[in-house]
Amino acid sequence: MALAWTRITSVKDDGIVELAIPELSRGQMVEVSVQLLDDASKRGEGSSQFEQRPLGLLKGKIVMSADFDAPLPEFDDYT
């Protein structure tokens, strides 16, 4: 079974990168590759994978009809 995971971390001043291996991978052979990120895509240690979005961004743009949970006639045979 192949297990893939991604970890974004910083290179220390001495050029060392510390990498925590997931519990399931310990004692197994792993392949490690390194990719240098540009400044726009850098994320700090422990930061979220996704940027925080402001709350209420779509307020008023999504409307549901008043009878959205009413029984559908297609399922009358099953009731």
Side-chain angles (χ1 to χ4, degrees), residues 50-69:
F50 302 102
E51 295 294 324
Q52 190 71 8
R53 294 187 185 104
L55 296 175
L57 195 62
L58 296 175
K59 185 176 182 179
K61 298 192 186 234
I62 299 173
V63 179
M64 292 203 293
S65 65
D67 64 346
F68 78 99
D69 60 347

Side-chain angles (χ1 to χ4, degrees), residues 19-53:
L19 184 64
I21 305 296
E23 188 77 30
L24 293 173
S25 300
R26 294 188 184 157
Q28 303 293 320
M29 297 270 302
V30 296
E31 177 182 307
V32 177
S33 63
V34 177
Q35 177 183 2
L36 183 62
L37 302 176
D38 61 346
D39 287 339
S41 60
K42 284 184 183 172
R43 307 223 190 280
E45 189 77 24
S47 67
S48 173
Q49 178 183 356
F50 302 102
E51 295 294 324
Q52 190 71 8
R53 294 187 185 104

